[in-house]
Amino acid sequence: MLMFGRRWDPWNELEGFGSHMRRIQDEMNTLLSRFDTRPSGEFPSLNVWTKDDEAVITTELPDIEPKNIDITVSGNTFTVKGTQGTPEPGGNESYHRRERWNGNFSRSLDLTFTVDTDKVTANFKKGVLYVTLPRHEAEKPRKISISA
Amino acid sequence: MADTTKELQKKEAEIAKGTETTRAKKAYTPAVDILERKDDIILTADMPGVDENSVDINLEKNVLTIFGNVERELPEGYNLALREYNEGNYYRSFTLSDEVDREKIKAAVKNGVLKLILPKADIVKQRKIEVKAEA
């Protein structure tokens, strides 16, 4: 009895269809946008830019004093370390939200070439760190001329 | 100790339904800390890439909106080899309670971090309602 009790109403069904499509579209958009970035799940996230003989690594480190950022490069490994502390609440204080990074961080990345460590430069602007890593001279491709 | 439960990936900002942004650039939700102290509330927002000239703070009725415009400073002539984060604007809004003294809100930006000091209104600090018995 119950199975046949409700009449199928095609118009009613159509009404819900529009919002359904929109939801699918929204979901597809968020799914696709993820292909754009490849989060590592580590802090901080790094973007790497390359040109013929050098690479630039950029990373967002808001609220960190440049002197508290520790950058080391050895061989082809780049490491950035530091601490970002948010103050602990005192007696009469309490956090309603605490979403920002709190604590130490260390992040390494292997490059595809050996870095000339003497020529590494770093810049810090508006909470964004830029590190330029030139390729080591000895590793650069060399044209060999054939002598007659 | 590092808090591993934190969302590391930037989240796209939620824009009110039915509206669209006029710029093609994406807007992200800045991570914030909200600390309540005895006389004020401190709101700290991570907005790397902004400075004091590119942040807009708006207070309409009791909705506080922060917007940060980021001008991309991409290394010229380079190709992107790895992208773990996206650059974009920042957008987030908060509903304030009556206890904030709107006239005295202070804001500062340093190293890509916005710091808002929201002082509590005097009335809230010392308002006591007396209940009288009906005659």
Side-chain angles (χ1 to χ4, degrees):
Chain A
M1 264 308 260
L2 268 174
M3 263 173 81
F4 306 104
R6 263 184 73 191
R7 261 207 2 238
W8 179 61
D9 180 358
W11 297 112
N12 194 25
E13 201 94 329
L14 261 178
E15 222 170 326
F17 191 65
S19 67
H20 209 75
M21 276 308 281
R22 228 165 297 134
R23 224 198 60 228
I24 291 172
Q25 204 172 26
D26 282 351
E27 267 170 14
M28 280 301 281
N29 278 344
T30 45
L31 265 176
L32 288 172
S33 70
R34 254 174 233 156
F35 286 113
D36 193 12
T37 53
R38 291 194 291 175
S40 63
E42 287 177 81
F43 184 87
S45 293
L46 308 173
N47 279 359
V48 182
W49 302 79
T50 53
K51 202 163 76 175
D52 312 335
D53 289 322
E54 58 183 38
V56 174
I57 296 180
T58 66
T59 180
E60 298 181 322
L61 294 169
D63 210 17
I64 298 172
E65 286 297 328
K67 62 172 177 0
N68 295 332
I69 303 172
D70 185 14
I71 301 162
T72 47
V73 181
S74 75
N76 64 345
T77 307
F78 162 87
T79 306
V80 59
K81 278 187 209 167
T83 309
Q84 179 179 282
T86 54
E88 288 304 316
N92 280 325
E93 305 173 353
S94 63
Y95 274 103
H96 295 304
R97 274 164 199 265
R98 207 175 186 186
E99 303 165 354
R100 299 168 64 237
W101 180 266
N102 183 31
N104 298 326
F105 61 85
S106 171
R107 182 74 210 276
S108 296
L109 191 77
D110 283 338
L111 294 160
T112 50
F113 55 84
T114 307
V115 178
D116 190 345
T117 46
D118 293 337
K119 288 184 188 155
V120 174
T121 52
N123 230 306
F124 190 71
K125 262 187 290 182
K126 301 181 207 171
V128 184
L129 177 73
Y130 303 81
V131 186
T132 309
L133 307 141
R135 190 171 183 168
H136 201 278
E137 204 64 42
E139 244 200 26
K140 282 183 190 171
R142 214 175 308 153
K143 200 176 172 175
I144 292 139
S145 52
I146 306 162
S147 48
Chain B
M1 264 304 280
D3 189 345
T4 46
T5 59
K6 278 199 171 63
E7 285 260 1
L8 293 175
Q9 197 57 19
K10 275 187 182 174
K11 266 195 300 210
E12 219 174 304
E14 284 172 31
I15 309 289
K17 258 202 177 146
T19 57
E20 285 179 51
T21 51
T22 52
R23 293 166 215 238
K25 217 187 286 179
K26 280 187 180 173
Y28 295 91
T29 308
V32 300
D33 284 349
I34 299 176
L35 177 68
E36 178 165 359
R37 302 196 298 187
K38 195 163 153 269
D39 297 322
D40 54 20
I41 293 162
I42 296 183
L43 190 153
T44 321
D46 279 348
M47 302 166 89
V50 306
D51 58 21
E52 62 279 7
N53 301 316
S54 56
V55 176
D56 264 337
I57 302 157
N58 241 305
L59 182 62
E60 203 186 323
K61 285 178 187 165
N62 63 340
V63 179
L64 177 83
T65 307
I66 52 176
F67 176 81
N69 186 37
V70 176
E71 288 303 326
R72 280 184 183 222
E73 284 186 47
L74 304 183
E76 239 175 89
Y78 288 79
N79 293 315
L80 187 63
L82 172 73
R83 185 194 280 288
E84 289 181 351
Y85 70 90
N86 267 313
E87 282 132 331
N89 295 334
Y90 299 97
Y91 175 87
R92 195 158 179 181
S93 56
F94 301 90
T95 313
L96 297 183
S97 60
D98 286 332
E99 60 184 276
V100 172
D101 188 343
R102 279 129 218 251
E103 304 300 315
K104 289 182 190 152
I105 295 174
K106 275 188 226 149
V109 179
K110 197 191 169 197
N111 287 342
V113 176
L114 170 72
K115 198 171 187 180
L116 278 174
I117 298 172
L118 312 161
K120 290 185 191 170
D122 289 337
I123 324 151
V124 176
K125 275 191 242 165
Q126 38 166 296
R127 189 164 65 183
K128 205 176 165 194
I129 295 140
E130 274 181 60
V131 182
K132 279 181 194 159
E134 248 181 294

